[in-house]
Amino acid sequence: MIYLDAAATTPVRREVLEAMWPYLTGEFGNPSSHHSVGEAAARALSGARATVATVLGCRASEVVFTSGGTEADNLAVKGISLATPRGRHVVTSLIEHEAVLESCEYMRRRHGFEITYLPVDEFGRVSAAEARRAIRPETTLCSVMLANNEVGTIEPVAEIAAVAKELGVPMHTDAVQAAGVLDLDVRALGVDALSISGHKVGAPKGVGALFLRGRVAAEPVLHGGGQERGRRSGTENVAGAVGLAMALRLAEDSRGERALRLTTLRNDLIRGVLAEVPGAVLTGDPVRRLPGCASFCFPGTSGEAVLLQMEQRGIVCSSGSACAAGSDRPSHVLLAMGIAPEVAQTAVRFTLSDATTADQVAEVVRSVRESCEAVRGIARCPDVV
Ligand code: PLP
C-alpha cells in the first residue's frame, strides 16, 4: 500500500513511542500529585514543555498542552475573543480549517460576534491588505492559517501579523499542517497564538499545543482543576506531551532536509500528473505551497470515484480534508478560490511523507492516469455500471 495522506495523519514514530512508554507504565504519576510518583510526571511534563517552547521560540510558560489541533484552535478563537474587552469582531479567512471556522461561527451564534471572512485569490492566498481593511477598532482577534490543509498554500502570516500588531489586534495562526516542514518560530512570525497537533508529525492522535503569548489573555474553554496555569483544566496527558515534544524535536532537527526532499518528490508528482492526465489542474499556489502537498482537480471525473480506483491500485490518498470526508459538499476552500462546484467535486489531494519514494511517485502518476481514464470511461458509458 502506498500511503499519500500524511496531511490526514501519520504513524507514531518508533522514537516517539519509546519516549512515551515509561509515562504509560512505570512513571504513570499525575503531575499534580505531591509525591515522588507525581513529581516524576511533573518533571517529564516540564521537559516536554521546554522542548516545544524551544521549537516555537517562546517561553515554556507560553505553551498550553491540549487534546489536539482542534482544541488549540477553539481555545485561541473563543478564549482570546472572550477575554478581549475591545469588542465583538473576529477576522479570519474563508479557507480555514473547520476547527477555526466553527469556533468563529459559535462566537457569532452564541456571543453575538461579527465575523469577517477574508477572501483568497485563485491560488488560495489571503492578502495582508485585505486584513488591514477588515480589522476594526472592535476586532478581538485575527486568525489566518500558516498553510492550508487542502491545497497546501502557504499564507503570508508574518505580513498579516505585522498589520495586526500595528492595529493592536491579537493574531492567531493554525500551524497544524506546517509543523515539521516550515519554520514555526513565533518571534519570526510575530503571532500571539499558534496551534499545533501531534498526529501530523509522528506523535499520537489526541495531543497538541497552543502557544499563547504571555501578555495575551484567554478565557479557558475547559474548566476544572486549573491545570496548565488555569488555561486548560484536566489531568495532563503526560505521555502524549512527551511524545509531541519528541516528534516535534525530531521533525525540527531534519526540517530543512525533509522540506527539500519532499519538494523534489512533490514537483515530480505535479509534473508527472499534469503531463500524463489530460485536463488535470493543479490547485493551490504553484510555488508557495507545502513541500509534501500536491492537489488537483480532474474535470470530467468525480474525486470520490478516482479515490476508489486509486485504492484498488493500492494507493491511498484523499479528496481534501479528512474532516470533510463523507460530506458530498464541495470543498469550501476550492469554492473560495473561485473553482466551480462541479470542478471542485473532482478534487484529489496527495500528501507525501518521509516514507514516500521516487518509485512510488512514478507509480502514483501511472495510477492517476489509469484511474481518471477508468472513471471517465464509466461516465461515458453509464450502462456498464
Ligand atoms: N487545523 C488544520 C489545518 C488541520 O489540518 C487539522 C487536522 O486535520 C486540524 C486543525 C485539527 O487537528 P486535530 O486533528 O489534532 O484536532
Side-chain angles (χ1 to χ4, degrees), residues 7-9 67-73 96-100 145 147-150 174-178 195-200 205-208 321-323 349:
T9 197
S67 66
T70 298
E71 190 192 322
D73 285 345
E96 296 300 308
H97 187 270
E98 285 77 2
V100 166
M145 68 202 321
N148 181 264
N149 48 305
E150 292 189 33
D174 175 337
V176 166
Q177 292 293 341
S195 307
I196 51 173
S197 169
H199 72 106
K200 312 291 183 177
K205 294 159 191 61
V207 66
S321 158
C323 313
R349 175 191 73 181

Side-chain angles (χ1 to χ4, degrees), residues 91-345:
V91 174
T92 188
S93 86
L94 281 172
I95 59 154
E96 296 300 308
H97 187 270
E98 285 77 2
V100 166
L101 292 177
E102 290 300 320
S103 295
C104 288
E105 173 54 21
Y106 167 81
M107 293 307 292
R108 186 191 67 76
R109 214 175 46 243
R110 292 283 180 203
H111 295 279
F113 275 60
E114 227 187 296
I115 316 293
T116 299
Y117 295 95
L118 301 173
V120 294
D121 68 10
E122 61 182 310
F123 299 127
R125 280 187 303 225
V126 178
S127 95
E130 291 280 0
R132 182 181 289 282
R133 267 195 290 280
I135 291 173
R136 310 177 195 156
E138 67 271 23
T139 305
T140 55
L141 180 72
C142 178
S143 178
V144 176
M145 68 202 321
L146 192 47
N148 181 264
N149 48 305
E150 292 189 33
V151 295
T153 299
I154 298 170
E155 301 298 343
V157 166
E159 250 180 84
I160 299 170
V163 170
K165 186 171 184 190
E166 183 192 323
L167 301 174
V169 170
M171 174 80 197
H172 165 248
T173 192
D174 175 337
V176 166
Q177 292 293 341
V181 282
L182 302 184
D183 188 2
L184 299 187
D185 190 308
V186 296
R187 292 161 301 194
L189 290 167
V191 294
D192 300 297
L194 178 144
S195 307
I196 51 173
S197 169
H199 72 106
K200 312 291 183 177
V201 286
K205 294 159 191 61
V207 66
L210 178 70
F211 153 70
L212 196 54
R213 196 174 292 287
R215 60 179 157 70
V216 175
E219 270 295 313
V221 170
L222 295 182
H223 301 89
Q227 290 90 343
E228 299 290 296
R229 296 172 165 247
R231 294 166 300 187
R232 196 277 184 185
S233 286
T235 302
E236 297 90 341
N237 176 359
V238 179
V242 166
L244 172 65
M246 173 62 89
L248 263 190
R249 190 173 67 69
L250 291 172
E252 185 63 17
D253 288 349
S254 53
R255 181 162 59 81
E257 261 166 68
R258 173 179 310 101
L260 210 63
R261 185 173 172 279
L262 289 178
T263 301
T264 307
L265 290 171
R266 178 206 73 195
N267 286 347
D268 289 347
L269 178 55
I270 291 175
R271 258 194 306 275
V273 167
L274 293 180
E276 295 284 325
V277 184
V281 182
L282 179 71
T283 56
D285 195 300
V287 182
R288 280 185 55 83
R289 64 186 301 131
L290 284 173
C293 179
S295 51
F296 304 90
C297 284
F298 299 115
T301 70
S302 120
E304 290 301 327
V306 173
L307 293 187
L308 271 177
Q309 290 284 336
M310 294 290 290
E311 185 139 24
Q312 282 168 13
R313 290 166 172 79
I315 296 162
V316 178
C317 47
S318 149
S319 60
S321 158
C323 313
S327 91
D328 39 12
R329 279 177 291 131
S331 140
H332 66 283
V333 175
L334 298 178
L335 295 183
M337 289 161 56
I339 295 174
E342 62 278 13
V343 177
Q345 298 275 20

